[in-house]
Amino acid sequence: MLRDGEKEEEDKGTLLSRASDLPDELLQQVLSLFPIANIIKLGTVCKRWYDVVHSRPLLWTMMAPQKPLFFLTFFNDHTSSGHVYDPCLLRWHNFGFPGLDKSILQASSSNGLVCLMSREDRSRLVVGNPITRDWKRLPPLPGAICPDYNALALWFDRRTRGYTVVVAKCTSTQLKGGATRSPGRNNKFYYMNLYYMDERMQANYLRWNFSVHIYESSTQSWAVPFAGDLGSWIGGEEGVVCDGVLYYLIRPDTELRRPHLVAFDLAKPPSTIQSVIQEAIPAPCRLACARLINLSGKLVMVGVTVWNAQPINGLMIWELKDKTWQEEGRMTFKTYESLYTIRENFICCAAGDLVFIQSLERPMLLLMFNMREMLAEWCPYNRHFETKFFRSFCFEPRLDVTS
């Protein structure tokens, strides 16, 4: 007579035996119903299961939708550490990118792929899948190495299985009298002084050059299809690609005007910067801070409204529909008092239906907003997350995409 423990082992062996009788394609379909973390663990059961999980990435195209993972890395001059938050398990895990953690300046993700720009060398970019650890270094980015502002955007085309990397650069080019100068991206007092200048003086004092750089995985090379003079409009670091169109946020030369959204069709770039600015879409209101995200193919903006130099209404979320902003939700400061710490200085990323909002002042404050259910919740944090230097982004865990 079998004991309880022996019976469990016998049942387990029977289940594995039955699973081993399934064809690889059918076994993969069964495994695809599990969360990505469980699929990776099941790949360690035996050699055959490992091959099914790792050797046939194209068969994972029908994998069940996965909740995005939020990656967070802390670094200093000597050490770095990576962590990932899993919304399914509601917990953090150690998760590092060997050799990449300390060098991340900017990141963009799309359908399981992630593009990272190096802190030490902004012309160095890599594209890869964080789950399969498949990374590819791109050719050096052409043009100025240290522009005042960089916007990085990645777009993966499910139909062609190819991807596009877009880098939008904005550099100050002219001072009064024809001199050139780069004030630096972190010189806040410099730009604050510009706000108090007469608009006509600003136009003579400082002008901005804007260029779009595109890398196609099909050609494996960079192209610069567009470059122009923005005049006194100031570019920034907010850019995103939705369905082959680059959306880029530019700021006015005075706080009395709203930021505007410009659109560039990557297949048919605009002829002149004047036409782009004329067709630019103004923000729904004056904003203290605004972030652009691609949410399942929809262009979404998260921002903080401002009135008389004071933030109001809390964090608001808009979706662009037919060149019109439509409010989708808001998170008031009264409801979320802790948001006061991130009301004017936050980062935002999204994948699937989840939007992650993180304080730049206190990186342990991470808010997760479900766009489908319109619900917000705070993610648990670890006191060891208290640090000055960090980078973060979210990505959809997949096994079927490769660089």
Side-chain angles (χ1 to χ4, degrees), residues 267-303:
K268 298 179 181 179
S271 56
T272 63
I273 192 66
Q274 288 76 16
S275 63
V276 171
I277 295 178
Q278 289 175 359
E279 298 178 5
I281 304 170
C285 56
R286 291 173 56 198
L287 299 171
C289 184
R291 306 295 184 220
L292 298 177
I293 53 178
N294 181 340
L295 200 63
S296 300
K298 299 178 294 185
L299 180 65
V300 174
M301 180 168 65
V302 180

Side-chain angles (χ1 to χ4, degrees), residues 9 12 109 128 136-137 168 181 183 199 235 248 266 339 368:
E9 290 296 324
K12 183 178 179 180
S109 66
K136 176 182 179 180
R137 182 171 179 175
R181 173 184 175 185
E199 292 187 18
Y248 185 68
L266 299 181
L339 284 177
M368 185 172 63

Side-chain angles (χ1 to χ4, degrees), residues 49-216:
W49 284 31
Y50 179 88
D51 292 338
V52 169
V53 170
H54 296 280
S55 302
R56 302 188 178 190
L58 291 180
L59 295 181
W60 291 105
T61 55
M62 299 304 294
M63 185 172 61
Q66 304 284 321
K67 286 188 176 182
L69 302 177
F70 182 84
F71 176 77
L72 178 62
T73 179
F74 296 101
F75 58 90
N76 54 37
D77 294 336
H78 306 288
T79 63
S80 62
S81 61
H83 312 269
V84 69
Y85 178 74
D86 188 341
C88 293
L89 301 178
L90 303 178
R91 58 178 298 185
W92 290 90
H93 306 275
N94 292 331
F95 191 91
F97 294 136
L100 296 176
D101 295 351
K102 288 177 59 177
S103 65
I104 299 176
L105 173 68
Q106 286 181 308
S108 179
S109 66
S110 176
N111 291 296
L113 279 185
V114 174
C115 181
L116 305 175
M117 177 181 287
S118 170
R119 290 177 59 241
E120 288 79 13
D121 182 2
R122 298 185 195 179
S123 66
R124 179 193 173 207
L125 292 93
V126 295
V127 175
N129 186 330
I131 298 298
T132 62
R133 302 304 176 92
D134 167 49
W135 294 99
K136 176 182 179 180
R137 182 171 179 175
L138 303 186
L141 178 66
I145 297 178
C146 294
D148 294 295
Y149 296 99
N150 263 330
L152 175 65
L154 173 68
W155 179 53
F156 179 82
D157 191 333
R158 289 184 178 272
R159 183 179 56 85
T160 64
R161 311 295 297 177
Y163 61 88
T164 302
V165 177
V166 181
V167 178
K169 295 183 178 182
C170 188
T171 307
S172 57
T173 59
Q174 180 180 351
L175 295 177
K176 188 175 181 179
T180 58
R181 173 184 175 185
S182 177
R185 56 190 290 156
N186 293 322
N187 195 335
K188 298 181 180 179
F189 294 103
Y190 178 82
Y191 295 117
M192 287 176 62
N193 290 333
L194 289 180
Y195 285 136
Y196 295 98
M197 296 173 58
D198 179 81
E199 292 187 18
R200 185 173 53 185
M201 292 178 60
Q202 292 181 36
N204 294 328
Y205 189 73
L206 187 62
R207 302 184 69 85
W208 297 86
N209 182 266
F210 175 71
S211 61
V212 178
H213 305 253
I214 302 177
Y215 175 88
E216 297 284 357

Side-chain angles (χ1 to χ4, degrees), residues 136-401:
K136 176 182 179 180
R137 182 171 179 175
L138 303 186
L141 178 66
I145 297 178
C146 294
D148 294 295
Y149 296 99
N150 263 330
L152 175 65
L154 173 68
W155 179 53
F156 179 82
D157 191 333
R158 289 184 178 272
R159 183 179 56 85
T160 64
R161 311 295 297 177
Y163 61 88
T164 302
V165 177
V166 181
V167 178
K169 295 183 178 182
C170 188
T171 307
S172 57
T173 59
Q174 180 180 351
L175 295 177
K176 188 175 181 179
T180 58
R181 173 184 175 185
S182 177
R185 56 190 290 156
N186 293 322
N187 195 335
K188 298 181 180 179
F189 294 103
Y190 178 82
Y191 295 117
M192 287 176 62
N193 290 333
L194 289 180
Y195 285 136
Y196 295 98
M197 296 173 58
D198 179 81
E199 292 187 18
R200 185 173 53 185
M201 292 178 60
Q202 292 181 36
N204 294 328
Y205 189 73
L206 187 62
R207 302 184 69 85
W208 297 86
N209 182 266
F210 175 71
S211 61
V212 178
H213 305 253
I214 302 177
Y215 175 88
E216 297 284 357
S217 61
S218 57
T219 62
Q220 299 186 14
S221 61
W222 289 96
V224 187
F226 184 86
D229 186 356
L230 282 175
S232 57
W233 285 86
I234 306 173
E237 299 181 345
E238 289 303 310
V240 66
V241 176
C242 293
D243 196 23
V245 177
L246 169 67
Y247 294 95
Y248 185 68
L249 206 60
I250 60 176
R251 295 178 288 127
D253 49 16
T254 171
E255 287 185 325
L256 300 179
R257 297 164 61 187
R258 304 179 185 182
H260 281 54
L261 183 73
V262 296
F264 298 83
D265 189 330
L266 299 181
K268 298 179 181 179
S271 56
T272 63
I273 192 66
Q274 288 76 16
S275 63
V276 171
I277 295 178
Q278 289 175 359
E279 298 178 5
I281 304 170
C285 56
R286 291 173 56 198
L287 299 171
C289 184
R291 306 295 184 220
L292 298 177
I293 53 178
N294 181 340
L295 200 63
S296 300
K298 299 178 294 185
L299 180 65
V300 174
M301 180 168 65
V302 180
V304 178
T305 57
V306 63
W307 181 258
N308 291 332
Q310 293 297 324
I312 60 174
N313 293 335
L315 285 173
M316 301 185 67
I317 300 176
W318 298 273
E319 179 185 342
L320 186 65
K321 295 183 178 180
D322 297 326
K323 296 186 178 182
T324 302
W325 294 106
Q326 179 175 317
E327 183 179 337
E328 295 293 328
R330 65 173 64 188
M331 292 162 280
T332 64
F333 297 139
K334 186 175 182 180
T335 304
Y336 301 99
E337 294 182 0
S338 296
L339 284 177
Y340 256 91
T341 62
I342 65 176
R343 60 185 180 180
E344 295 183 69
N345 209 7
F346 67 92
I347 59 176
C348 185
C349 57
D353 295 319
L354 296 182
V355 179
F356 294 92
I357 302 171
Q358 184 184 29
S359 168
L360 283 173
E361 305 290 337
R362 300 174 62 191
M364 79 292 299
L365 288 179
L366 177 63
L367 184 70
M368 185 172 63
F369 186 74
N370 191 316
M371 286 288 291
R372 182 190 303 177
E373 301 175 0
M374 291 297 166
L375 294 176
E377 61 178 301
W378 292 101
C379 302
Y381 66 88
N382 189 313
R383 61 183 178 86
H384 297 295
F385 286 179
E386 290 275 6
T387 186
K388 185 177 181 180
F389 303 105
F390 72 96
R391 287 293 180 270
S392 59
F393 57 85
C394 70
F395 63 93
E396 181 184 354
R398 298 195 64 88
L399 292 167
D400 62 315
V401 295

